[in-house]
Amino acid sequence: MKTLEDYVTCIPDFPEPGIMFRDVTSIIQDADGLTLAIDSLRSMLKGIDYDVIVGPESRGFIFGMPVAYAEKKPFIPVRKKGKLPRETISAKYDLEYGSAEIEMHRDAIKPGQKVVVIDDLIATGGTIKAITGMIEQLGGEVVKICFIMELAGLNGRSVLEGYPVESAIVYEGK
């Protein structure tokens, strides 16, 4: 029986020399890989009391939506600035070579709601840290953060200290 890691394609020297790129699309291009990924995320939520699932554009949508559907929970999208039609709140965060800004609808999270965040990958943790800040600004409580893959060498967990974080696959390098 294959493990989730068996579905990940590794591309050496992409996008630059010395980087081993872990391609999550090879998981979702295989029905068994996709099923295993969604089942892995759902198992991370066993015993967790939560109200909504939040996922960032775009791979957080890919993995968060089927979990929300299967668990009968609402899904809240986090998008790049300027993509949501109603009143939003936003957060800026740093990237390796610059910064970015993300938004969510101001009415997406109700005060007191317990929130799970799902994304494909944790690297430096900047995107998810920005998302947790927005959730808390709206009065929500982050009760779990789930990833398919983690690049432990980039220390993203340290940015998310104090939050329960779980990854299906942990790669020690970058």
Side-chain angles (χ1 to χ4, degrees):
M1 181 167 186
K2 290 174 98 173
T3 67
L4 187 56
E5 194 169 3
D6 293 330
Y7 292 96
V8 178
T9 301
C10 298
I11 299 108
D13 300 319
F14 182 81
E16 57 187 53
I19 301 293
M20 179 62 75
F21 186 83
R22 316 288 184 181
D23 187 10
V24 73
T25 62
S26 55
I27 293 173
I28 62 176
Q29 289 174 332
D30 185 289
D32 292 334
L34 178 59
T35 299
L36 189 53
I38 300 308
D39 289 350
S40 295
L41 291 166
R42 290 183 68 201
S43 72
M44 292 177 199
L45 300 178
K46 294 284 187 229
I48 303 293
D49 178 26
Y50 67 101
D51 302 304
V52 300
I53 294 175
V54 169
E57 185 175 356
S58 64
R59 290 177 302 267
F61 292 11
I62 292 170
F63 293 105
M65 278 294 300
V67 173
Y69 174 81
E71 298 294 321
K72 296 178 177 34
K73 300 289 184 178
F75 180 81
I76 308 299
V78 175
R79 301 218 49 204
K80 295 172 186 164
K81 185 170 178 58
K83 299 291 184 181
L84 292 171
R86 299 190 318 269
E87 186 180 353
T88 61
I89 62 168
S90 65
K92 292 183 181 180
Y93 62 99
D94 291 328
L95 300 166
E96 190 173 356
Y97 303 107
S99 64
E101 191 168 358
I102 53 176
E103 296 179 322
M104 65 190 308
H105 284 129
R106 181 170 293 284
D107 63 357
I109 304 292
K110 309 295 184 268
Q113 281 189 314
K114 295 176 182 176
V115 181
V116 168
V117 180
I118 294 179
D119 203 3
D120 69 323
L121 174 75
I122 178 173
T124 63
T127 304
I128 301 302
K129 183 66 175 171
I131 291 170
T132 61
M134 288 191 298
I135 292 166
E136 291 166 354
Q137 180 183 339
L138 293 174
E141 176 191 358
V142 177
V143 295
K144 184 91 181 222
I145 304 172
C146 305
F147 300 99
I148 296 296
M149 295 188 290
E150 177 175 349
L151 303 179
L154 294 174
N155 301 313
R157 271 184 193 253
S158 66
V159 173
L160 301 174
E161 192 172 327
Y163 297 102
V165 174
E166 189 172 352
S167 302
I169 304 168
V170 178
Y171 294 104
E172 294 306 317
K174 296 179 179 180

